[in-house]
Amino acid sequence: MSLFQAPPNSSIGGVSYLRVLAFSTREACSILGCWTHWFTQMVARDTSYLAYDLLIRTLPRQPVSRKGKRATGLYGDAHWKTGTREKVRWVNEVLAQYKRAPEIIWLITDLDVMPLRPYSHLVTWFVRQPHEIVFMREPGHSLGLGGVKWVANTGFILLRNTPRVRDFVGHWYFRVRVNRKLLEQDLANWLLVKHVGHRELNWSTIPTDLATTKIEEVCASLLRSHHP
């Protein structure tokens, strides 16, 4: 869904479009309704010339198990974990389709990350950075695969569709497929921090005054807040 088009020759640092990829399980569509309301309000307040393209993918409803129970599709259950893997597959697929689109910045977001100010503010910051991909910072001291401390929160990612980014996402998807007991965020952090194959990838985290997972850090200058 394209919400509006930018006037010709209008851009932010050469970027004319922000393409937003949002993913939901069918059971969590109540969250989708809340998030799209916030998103619509955010776009209405944006006075920049940035055009927004919004793509939403929902995972099919989980069938009832032999025990007569249906997965909730909410945080932590089996269907939710299936959804996180499907999200990585979808991102890998879409980026491969748009290799030649330098005017597009991509935003990958979970539906519990609410936009509090126009995303164009974040794009303006990002185009001034040398980074190819940035993640919302993961709080706390969670340790994952190989004792790697989680730094990147994969629920909110901003990226340029470069060859190194596509290599990373493709490798991430491969690892997600073969390591099904591990969370996709665990595997992403391991690849970023430990794997020699991605040392040339220019990645970083978004400053916490722009995006945060902590509700106590929400302030007037904040772009968005994460609500677990």
Side-chain angles (χ1 to χ4, degrees), residues 7-51:
N9 303 318
S10 298
S11 66
I12 299 176
V15 174
S16 300
Y17 294 89
L18 179 66
R19 185 153 291 166
V20 182
L21 303 185
F23 190 89
S24 175
T25 60
R26 191 71 58 84
E27 292 82 0
C29 277
S30 58
I31 300 175
L32 174 60
C34 179
W35 183 87
T36 52
H37 171 76
W38 278 87
F39 184 86
T40 301
Q41 295 298 311
M42 178 272 295
V43 172
R45 293 195 305 270
D46 194 345
T47 59
S48 77
Y49 286 138
L50 187 71

Side-chain angles (χ1 to χ4, degrees), residues 12-175:
I12 299 176
V15 174
S16 300
Y17 294 89
L18 179 66
R19 185 153 291 166
V20 182
L21 303 185
F23 190 89
S24 175
T25 60
R26 191 71 58 84
E27 292 82 0
C29 277
S30 58
I31 300 175
L32 174 60
C34 179
W35 183 87
T36 52
H37 171 76
W38 278 87
F39 184 86
T40 301
Q41 295 298 311
M42 178 272 295
V43 172
R45 293 195 305 270
D46 194 345
T47 59
S48 77
Y49 286 138
L50 187 71
Y52 289 83
D53 286 345
L54 174 60
L55 288 77
I56 298 175
R57 173 72 60 88
T58 59
L59 195 66
R61 184 179 295 275
Q62 183 78 353
V64 177
S65 69
R66 293 180 179 178
K67 296 181 180 180
K69 295 182 179 180
R70 187 188 298 274
T72 66
L74 300 178
Y75 181 84
D77 88 345
H79 197 40
W80 174 85
K81 292 177 181 177
T82 299
T84 63
R85 293 192 292 269
E86 174 62 18
K87 179 182 74 173
V88 180
R89 186 203 66 77
W90 183 42
V91 173
N92 182 59
E93 176 186 283
V94 171
L95 293 184
Q97 294 175 353
Y98 293 91
K99 294 179 180 179
R100 298 180 181 180
E103 74 282 5
I104 297 175
I105 293 292
W106 298 80
L107 174 63
I108 319 301
T109 181
D110 286 352
L111 296 179
D112 57 356
V113 185
M114 297 299 178
L116 302 183
R117 288 179 60 200
Y119 286 149
S120 56
H121 293 269
L122 186 60
V123 172
T124 298
W125 168 81
F126 185 55
V127 298
R128 296 171 180 168
Q129 311 303 315
H131 313 307
E132 298 169 273
I133 183 170
V134 292
F135 302 82
M136 186 161 58
R137 175 172 287 276
E138 175 70 13
H141 305 283
S142 300
L143 294 179
L145 182 64
V148 172
K149 180 181 177 182
W150 284 6
V151 176
N153 185 306
T154 56
F156 193 81
I157 308 169
L158 199 63
L159 62 87
R160 296 179 172 91
N161 191 3
T162 66
R164 283 192 291 258
V165 168
R166 290 194 298 274
D167 286 346
F168 165 74
V169 173
H171 193 181
W172 184 22
Y173 176 48
F174 170 78
R175 291 290 179 176

Side-chain angles (χ1 to χ4, degrees), residues 170-189:
H171 193 181
W172 184 22
Y173 176 48
F174 170 78
R175 291 290 179 176
V176 164
R177 295 200 323 268
V178 300
N179 297 276
R180 300 183 70 83
K181 292 184 178 180
L182 296 173
L183 297 177
E184 46 85 18
Q185 183 163 289
D186 191 8
L187 292 165
N189 277 274

